[in-house]
Amino acid sequence: GLRVQCVAADLGCEEGLRRAGAALRELLQDASFGRLLLVNNAGSLGDVSKSFLDLTDLEEINSYFSFNISSALCLTSTALRAFGARPGCSRTVVNVSSLCAREPFRSWALYCAGKAARDMLFRVLALEEPGLRVLSYAPGPLDTDMQLLARTKTGDAGVRQQFQRMRENGQLLDSSVSAQKLLRLLQEDSFPSGAHVDFYDI
């Protein structure tokens, strides 16, 4: 009974966001759905070769925040409005967060700011909508293409070397391991709505 619907959309532009939003509205009209689980995972690292003082291009900065913050806000609002508060139905929103939402990293001004802003957005959502379950989940240092960028392109040598050492020491996590931990967290459903939970907290 599993139905998979893929919608290719560039969430960094208005047309892509409109396409994804329209697909969500159409899909969520189905009254037979008894649960909504929305996972906001789309995001980017940004140009981590630059320090704070190198970030002078307004178009680059606005483009980063549009993709990493605005699109998550718009799609979440669209999905929640389309699904509505159906009697007997549960609604859960997951924001894929990061340690960077809490801690500053040199050369990562955009990424840290974006993750911190998203965490706060979803804390506000949890406060405004007590009938929702809202979670910001920091998945830990995953062995992904983004991690490869982090350890090869980061402008700050200390941060770059820190990630290189993590890989050499086998400290990077397989994505499936972190995803399983997230699933257990959602199944237990004991976190305070709006909470930031790190992989290493569980």
Side-chain angles (χ1 to χ4, degrees):
L2 177 65
R3 185 177 80 187
V4 177
Q5 181 173 336
C6 296
V7 178
D10 178 359
L11 301 183
C13 69
E14 289 185 25
E15 176 54 36
L17 197 55
R18 276 195 294 270
R19 182 183 303 169
L24 267 176
R25 282 190 294 272
E26 182 179 350
L27 178 68
L28 295 177
Q29 285 176 358
D30 190 333
S32 68
F33 292 152
R35 178 171 188 186
L36 175 67
L37 172 59
L38 179 65
V39 180
N40 288 285
N41 185 44
S44 64
L45 191 56
D47 188 349
V48 290
S49 70
K50 295 180 176 180
S51 70
F52 188 105
L53 299 184
D54 295 323
L55 295 170
T56 57
D57 184 336
L58 186 61
E59 185 176 346
E60 175 189 4
I61 295 165
N62 285 343
S63 175
Y64 182 85
F65 288 130
S66 177
F67 173 45
N68 288 277
I69 302 173
S70 304
S71 69
L73 171 58
C74 289
L75 285 178
T76 302
S77 299
T78 296
L80 292 173
R81 289 174 68 90
F83 192 81
R86 302 178 186 181
C89 295
S90 66
R91 298 173 297 159
T92 303
V93 176
V94 177
N95 165 45
V96 176
S97 186
S98 169
L99 175 63
C100 296
R102 300 286 183 89
E103 299 289 335
F105 281 59
R106 291 183 179 89
S107 298
W108 287 30
L110 292 179
Y111 187 78
C112 290
K115 288 297 186 182
R118 274 173 57 144
D119 266 28
M120 184 54 75
L121 275 177
F122 288 102
R123 285 179 64 187
V124 170
L125 174 63
L127 197 62
E128 289 183 354
E129 298 290 335
L132 283 178
R133 302 290 289 137
V134 182
L135 172 68
S136 286
Y137 175 67
L142 303 179
D143 192 6
T144 61
D145 289 343
M146 195 176 91
Q147 172 59 223
L148 175 62
L149 281 177
R151 62 179 182 266
T152 58
K153 302 295 184 185
T154 297
D156 184 84
V159 173
R160 193 170 63 247
Q161 289 161 10
Q162 177 186 351
F163 286 121
Q164 289 167 355
R165 281 193 300 272
M166 290 178 74
R167 182 172 188 270
E168 291 162 5
N169 296 333
Q171 294 174 302
L172 298 180
L173 302 169
D174 187 274
S175 297
S176 64
V177 173
S178 187
Q180 285 298 321
K181 201 170 257 198
L182 171 59
L183 283 175
R184 285 200 303 274
L185 189 62
L186 293 172
Q187 286 169 344
E188 291 167 4
D189 199 29
S190 60
F191 56 87
S193 190
H196 173 107
V197 179
D198 191 278
F199 175 89
Y200 294 108
D201 293 337
I202 309 166

